[in-house]
Amino acid sequence: MSSPLADPSFLKRLIAETVHPGPPEAGRYRLACVFLLLFVRKGCMHVLAIQKTDTEGYPWRNQVALPGGHIDPDDPDALYACFRELQEELGIGAEEVVFTGSIGHFQTINDRDLEVFTGFWKQERPISHKKKEISRVLHLPVPELMKTHIEQGFHGWIPDVHRLLYPVGDVTVWGVTARILHHFLEMLHGMRHCLGP
């Protein structure tokens, strides 16, 4: 892939040069973390996402999310917890990921603060996911997400939860995951022409 986005060092620099949302007031939210994991498939950059199970009473029922979860008391830090969750949920080990940085903190409507880490998945392969929590693994094409971002007029502001929607195939990304994607796409906006069709 010719896009500079395929170079982890480029993304590291881009993340370092961008202002990201900081952590909220201490003690107000329960701490959690997710991975915005990128990989190249058929020459196109994708985000690895999951769809939660259709379980009665499950707060995230059927929602599209990024892999991750809560931070355990014995986790040394949020990044360690995120790699642990990635291994537990999708069987992807830290040795398969080129870590590129944190893009900040995002709060959910159920009082969780998510720190979002980014990285490149070095090898695309079949994934064995945690079936109790995850119904399927999704590949979200970054050019398609950016097309929606531009066509829906999302650039330069953050729409409310009812409008900030990213449809991809037979799913729609909304809520905190849509806000995370919005921030990521805003970061890439100046180089959107490098993303492909």
Side-chain angles (χ1 to χ4, degrees), residues 58 60 103 189:
Y58 188 36
W60 300 279
I103 59 169
H189 183 266

Side-chain angles (χ1 to χ4, degrees), residues 27 71 124 141 166 186:
I71 300 171
E124 185 192 350
Y166 292 96
E186 285 288 272

